Amino acid sequence: MDPPNEFPDDFSSFPPIPFALFVPPENPNPNSNDAPIPNTVENPSSAHLLSFSVPKKRRRGRPHRVPTSFQLPPIPNGVFNSNNNGLASFSSSISAHSSRNNVEIPGSSARTMPDMSDEIIVINKESTAEALIALSAGFPADSLTEEEIDFGVIRVIGGIEQVNYILIRNHIIAKWRENVSNWVTKDIFIDSIPKHCHSLLDSTYKYLVSHGYINFGVAPAIKEKIPAEPSKPHVIVIGAGLAGLAAARQMMRFGFKVTVLEGRKRAGGRVYTKKMEGGIRVCAAADLGGSVLTGTLGNPLGIVARQLGYVLHKVRDKCPLYSFDGKPVDPDMDMKVETAFNQLLDKASRLRQLMGGVSVDVSLGAALETFWQVYGDAVNAEEMNMFNWHLANLEYANAGLISNLSLAFWDQDDPYDMGGDHCFLPGGNGRLVQALAENVPILYEKIVHTIRYGSDGVQVIAGSQVFEGDMALCTVPLGVLKSGSIKFIPELPQRKLDGIKRLGFGLLNKVAMLFPHVFWGTDLDTFGHLSDDSSRRGEFFLFYSYATVAGGPLLIALVAGEAAHKFESMPPTDAVTRVIQILKGIYEPQGISVPEPIQTVCTRWGSDPFSLGSYSNVAVGASGDDYDILAESVGDGRLFFAGEATNRRYPATMHGAFLSGLREAANMAHYANARALRIKINRNPSKNAHSCASLLADLFREPDLEFGSFSVIFCRRNADPKSTAILRVTFNEPRKKSHDSAKPDQQHSNKLLFQQLQSHFNQQQQLHVYTLLSRQQVLDLREVRGGDEMRLNYLCEKLGVKLVGRKGLGPTADSVIALIKAERGIRKPASTSLALKSGTSKLKAGTLKRKLVRKAKIIRHGNGSAPSANSNSVNDKVSDETKITSQAPSNTLGSGQNHSDVLKNE
């Protein structure tokens, strides 16, 4: 177990590892996860080139013998051909789609693009290889992530600019992966990127650096970028686990003052490598917490290991099973039961599709055990024991009882699983923690019990000490949040409290044993043991051999499922005695003597007050949305959250925790920059009054939501329904009757010229009035039927608000404007000539919670025609708004949303 009062181990005191590392013959480079992929792809649409082996959750415990194929999102034919000649067909289809739908990103500019922007650029002949490298880092092949759209990397979704952006993004990522010890500068790409795309290069590079996709880690060239003295506000990080360390290092590089508060006497959190010793010549590094790097293609911790010069060890596929009496399980029977088990999982997947939303309230265990009962009379006792072993393996992968796992969403993260091998780090993952904690200001034994947050900053209270800062990042495990041991003032939003309650947080325990010598052989890394008692199926069901990587003869037994909870109260001597009995039952019939262990350690992660469990899972009633909810900041950008339980794509993993820290560093920097801009405006109110009014006009050229004569802007990163939005109502003078009654076939043939003339008319004749509403009130207002007059009545009578001019909005609006400006600050203001898009709701990829990022699709309701430019008048009848949706099912919508809502709710 991880003693709360034990100081960090000095990993430099380990002797050189005396074992030759195993290098699998089929993969001569065990750290190939970061190496550039050779450009041998002839046709990127070939099935065998668009799939790689992925260890799904069902396989996490036991290495898979029959690889599960992970199909990459289809890359359109010719998009990434090595010579880029095949891009023309894709570009033409994209261009047609873009011209028809004109889907624009809120906050980006609507500049008139030069002719050359209609061409797909050619950077080099390795675009396919670079696309696959970017794919391993979590980027889709032919679409944008929600995060990229939030950042405003491009102007129009689905256009030629998007293709060029993807090519530039992939090229930058691949270039850095060639040598992750270097700091990649933007200048090295100037010559390879056409001049007309240099602004796109600027935004791409800024996005990748600020969000930690390149130039992160512990290489000397990266560490030297940390300024000697901070120049930005104070950030307090609660917890020195992988999430906290990743965020702290990134914020320090951004120039922030950082203080990390850690309750233990060591860094690492649930990643803990303990030095075990048995005399002068026998010692080993035992990973008592997170131990296996799951999926090393693109894994950021693999990159950190590479920067440190560490070579990873692939966990070999060989994993024999032994019966409860110690006899080897027949391999044919083993394969038969495993195949049947996987077929049951597939049936469960089909069942949840048939059940629809009802499956949210059904457990995976209920489905599997119901299916297995069908075969109950056709299997013998040993096959039943093997079935229970696979259930234990599944409970290990999810750190939870299958009776508690959601049938609907237990494997919701599988589509994002990183490809590549499962690996051990020789010497233990504590070596990564030690490198990440170097020169980070960490205060140990600071047990936080209260976090206050408000408009002026944060106070974090540990014991009798009060730490004040501009922002705070809470990285404590979900188990600690569930326990309520940290008091938040004010209380966290109910939405977040509900998410904390819904998500599951399970348990995995270990028994680490250091022996005088290796008696189990060094030709395998894992072996399993069956139980004849289903209630004890997870008790010492799987053994990890660390002999080739720990520096000594180390064996670790895993305890999962219900057995893990019983293990918490089992005396350590009884546990070790039971493990030794199992080992003797396996090896003594083979004539192999099992010695007594020199040293043993039993974990108690469920009783550890700093974790209260192991890692998260999707429990019955929960969904992947809850990970996003836990990740939401509160207090208008004052209090942030990170950790594996806040990472929807990579929960329950070490790299998921690390990535969440990088994510929140980018978010905190964003809010800090917005506040700095707001302070600058507030210091010179008279000087900036005109500029603030001009800024508001620029922001409303690209509103986040429009309906009738109403348009809205808001900060998309703040998902709180109570967060402030600015509503503008536009009043037009009466139009001539000829305009009001114009028929579609009488409209101007030159649409752009007509819009320009209409925009000019509106600038001269329009009256804009404003008010502040919550985002939820905006949604409610949008649903009011009966046209603009009914909406105005609802606004004034029901909500009781007053419409004022720009100056009447006050300082609160200035703060919101500054925040939105900082969020949209990448692009230049939109041109007036293209600003008029009456009745159009802007696309926001984060509107719907989706398992996969899909292309935006526009659906026009009513008669299918776009609203006329005259629909902005409150005296006109409001036509049905153009609505934007995606291919997500309706049950993925958040509370208070429907398919026509485009407010981000995450």
Side-chain angles (χ1 to χ4, degrees), residues 65-78:
R65 281 87 56 82
V66 180
T68 302
S69 177
F70 174 51
Q71 298 296 326
L72 307 183
I75 303 176
N77 289 332

Side-chain angles (χ1 to χ4, degrees), residues 198-268:
H198 282 184
S199 62
L200 193 58
L201 171 63
D202 291 341
S203 63
T204 307
Y205 180 82
K206 182 178 180 181
Y207 165 73
L208 293 175
V209 172
S210 65
H211 286 72
Y213 291 105
I214 62 172
N215 296 341
F216 69 84
V218 294
I222 295 171
K223 290 192 291 185
E224 69 183 17
K225 296 294 182 180
I226 299 177
E229 295 293 332
S231 59
K232 296 184 179 181
H234 186 198
V235 175
I236 301 172
V237 179
I238 300 103
L242 288 177
L245 294 176
R249 294 194 73 87
Q250 194 80 328
M251 294 300 285
M252 290 169 63
R253 188 176 65 74
F254 291 162
F256 288 83
K257 178 183 177 182
V258 175
T259 300
V260 181
L261 305 180
E262 171 55 54
R264 308 177 193 269
K265 289 187 176 182
R266 61 168 182 84

Side-chain angles (χ1 to χ4, degrees), residues 92-212:
S92 61
S93 63
I94 285 292
S95 179
H97 174 84
S98 176
S99 63
R100 286 194 308 270
N101 298 332
N102 194 27
V103 183
E104 300 202 2
I105 298 177
S108 63
S109 70
R111 300 177 276 118
T112 301
M113 302 295 290
D115 292 339
M116 285 186 296
S117 67
D118 293 334
E119 299 177 357
I120 294 179
I121 62 176
V122 178
I123 300 176
N124 56 30
K125 296 183 178 181
E126 299 180 356
S127 54
T128 298
E130 292 177 350
L132 293 177
I133 293 173
L135 194 65
S136 72
F139 291 101
D142 63 343
S143 59
L144 305 181
T145 65
E146 297 178 6
E147 187 180 73
E148 288 175 297
I149 296 174
D150 284 349
F151 194 75
V153 292
I154 61 172
R155 178 177 60 93
V156 178
I157 295 177
I160 301 300
E161 186 185 27
Q162 174 174 316
V163 179
N164 288 338
Y165 164 77
I166 290 174
L167 290 169
I168 295 173
R169 178 199 68 193
N170 297 351
H171 181 61
I172 295 175
I173 294 173
K175 194 68 175 178
W176 185 63
R177 291 289 182 89
E178 290 178 3
N179 187 349
V180 294
S181 294
N182 283 346
W183 178 274
V184 172
T185 65
K186 184 180 63 176
D187 294 341
I188 69 173
F189 303 103
I190 294 294
D191 294 336
S192 59
I193 304 298
K195 189 173 182 179
H196 71 275
C197 286
H198 282 184
S199 62
L200 193 58
L201 171 63
D202 291 341
S203 63
T204 307
Y205 180 82
K206 182 178 180 181
Y207 165 73
L208 293 175
V209 172
S210 65
H211 286 72

Side-chain angles (χ1 to χ4, degrees), residues 590-609:
Q590 303 176 34
I592 300 173
S593 177
V594 177
E596 289 297 314
I598 298 173
Q599 185 185 7
T600 60
V601 177
C602 295
T603 67
R604 296 284 188 272
W605 288 107
S607 306
D608 185 334

Side-chain angles (χ1 to χ4, degrees), residues 681-682 684-685 687-699 806 810 813-815 817-818:
I681 293 175
N682 291 341
N684 300 284
K687 181 180 179 181
N688 292 288
H690 176 74
S691 62
C692 200
S694 176
L695 179 58
L696 183 64
D698 286 339
L699 293 177
R806 161 66 190 93
D814 292 341
S815 300
I817 292 169

Side-chain angles (χ1 to χ4, degrees), residues 248-559:
R249 294 194 73 87
Q250 194 80 328
M251 294 300 285
M252 290 169 63
R253 188 176 65 74
F254 291 162
F256 288 83
K257 178 183 177 182
V258 175
T259 300
V260 181
L261 305 180
E262 171 55 54
R264 308 177 193 269
K265 289 187 176 182
R266 61 168 182 84
R270 286 167 282 169
V271 178
Y272 177 45
T273 304
K274 178 176 176 58
K275 182 178 179 181
M276 299 181 67
E277 298 179 279
I280 300 176
R281 307 181 100 182
V282 181
C283 62
D287 274 324
L288 301 181
S291 58
V292 182
L293 296 181
T294 53
T296 52
L297 282 177
N299 192 314
L301 295 178
I303 291 176
V304 174
R306 186 180 172 190
Q307 292 173 335
L308 295 169
Y310 300 155
V311 179
L312 302 179
H313 169 89
K314 176 190 173 183
V315 179
R316 289 166 282 187
D317 293 345
K318 182 179 180 181
C319 182
L321 297 183
Y322 296 91
S323 186
F324 69 94
D325 57 3
K327 296 180 181 179
V329 171
D330 178 68
D332 293 335
M333 183 181 295
D334 183 4
M335 182 63 71
K336 173 187 173 183
V337 175
E338 181 173 348
T339 300
F341 181 80
N342 288 329
Q343 289 175 347
L344 291 182
L345 286 178
D346 292 336
K347 285 187 176 183
S349 179
R350 290 193 293 272
L351 174 63
R352 68 185 175 192
Q353 293 175 351
L354 294 173
M355 294 177 67
V358 179
S359 62
V360 174
D361 299 320
V362 178
S363 74
L364 175 65
L368 289 180
E369 292 178 359
T370 299
F371 287 140
W372 184 253
Q373 288 174 1
V374 176
Y375 302 97
D377 297 334
V379 299
N380 56 39
E382 187 172 19
E383 289 174 333
M384 180 59 75
N385 293 339
M386 292 179 63
F387 175 76
N388 282 320
W389 186 92
H390 284 288
L391 292 179
N393 192 37
L394 198 62
E395 291 176 328
Y396 157 47
N398 292 275
L401 304 177
I402 60 170
S403 59
N404 294 335
L405 297 180
S406 168
L407 171 63
F409 301 114
W410 72 276
D411 58 348
Q412 61 85 35
D413 56 311
D414 268 1
Y416 310 109
D417 208 327
M418 291 181 176
D421 299 319
H422 286 188
C423 292
F424 293 142
L425 176 65
N429 294 315
R431 302 172 76 190
L432 300 179
V433 172
Q434 189 178 49
L436 291 169
E438 181 183 3
N439 296 326
V440 175
I442 305 174
L443 302 180
Y444 294 100
E445 296 185 276
K446 302 300 180 185
I447 303 176
V448 173
H449 57 79
T450 303
I451 299 176
R452 288 193 177 97
Y453 60 97
S455 59
D456 295 332
V458 296
Q459 287 185 337
V460 180
I461 305 174
S464 60
Q465 291 182 281
V466 179
F467 299 87
E468 295 186 343
D470 191 65
M471 297 175 287
L473 174 64
C474 181
T475 71
V476 301
L478 176 59
V480 175
L481 292 177
K482 282 179 172 289
S483 72
S485 60
I486 297 179
K487 183 178 182 180
F488 293 91
I489 303 175
E491 182 61 274
L492 295 176
Q494 191 62 44
R495 167 185 171 85
K496 188 177 286 286
L497 293 175
D498 292 342
I500 291 171
K501 183 177 180 180
R502 282 191 299 264
L503 273 181
F505 196 67
L507 186 60
L508 174 74
N509 276 313
K510 299 182 179 182
V511 177
M513 299 162 288
L514 180 65
F515 289 93
H517 59 271
V518 176
F519 60 85
W520 56 89
T522 58
D523 62 334
L524 50 74
D525 295 314
T526 57
F527 60 91
H529 173 260
L530 310 185
S531 173
D532 59 349
D533 183 351
S534 62
S535 66
R536 300 174 64 180
R537 63 192 177 206
E539 184 179 275
F540 317 123
F541 82 103
L542 187 67
F543 289 80
Y544 274 124
S545 168
Y546 284 83
T548 54
V549 295
L554 179 70
L555 196 63
I556 291 183
L558 303 186
V559 190

Side-chain angles (χ1 to χ4, degrees), residues 527-692:
F527 60 91
H529 173 260
L530 310 185
S531 173
D532 59 349
D533 183 351
S534 62
S535 66
R536 300 174 64 180
R537 63 192 177 206
E539 184 179 275
F540 317 123
F541 82 103
L542 187 67
F543 289 80
Y544 274 124
S545 168
Y546 284 83
T548 54
V549 295
L554 179 70
L555 196 63
I556 291 183
L558 303 186
V559 190
E562 183 180 349
H565 293 271
K566 295 180 179 178
F567 183 80
E568 293 276 323
S569 59
M570 180 185 294
T573 53
D574 293 354
V576 173
T577 299
R578 173 64 181 146
V579 174
I580 296 300
Q581 288 176 347
I582 291 174
L583 293 174
K584 287 182 177 180
I586 294 172
Y587 288 100
E588 287 188 348
Q590 303 176 34
I592 300 173
S593 177
V594 177
E596 289 297 314
I598 298 173
Q599 185 185 7
T600 60
V601 177
C602 295
T603 67
R604 296 284 188 272
W605 288 107
S607 306
D608 185 334
F610 300 112
S611 62
L612 298 176
S614 298
Y615 40 91
S616 64
N617 56 60
V618 185
V620 174
S623 72
D625 289 358
D626 292 314
Y627 289 110
D628 291 332
I629 292 172
L630 261 66
E632 293 172 356
S633 63
V634 299
D636 194 22
R638 294 295 183 178
L639 178 58
F640 300 79
F641 294 83
E644 57 85 13
T646 70
N647 195 323
R648 181 179 191 148
R649 288 192 171 198
Y650 311 112
T653 63
M654 292 183 289
H655 60 271
F658 185 88
L659 288 171
S660 73
L662 297 180
R663 177 199 70 213
E664 291 311 305
N667 287 335
M668 288 187 288
H670 159 75
Y671 275 98
N673 293 337
R675 276 190 288 270
L677 177 62
R678 183 173 63 202
I679 291 172
K680 184 178 179 181
I681 293 175
N682 291 341
R683 282 177 178 172
N684 300 284
S686 59
K687 181 180 179 181
N688 292 288
H690 176 74
S691 62
C692 200

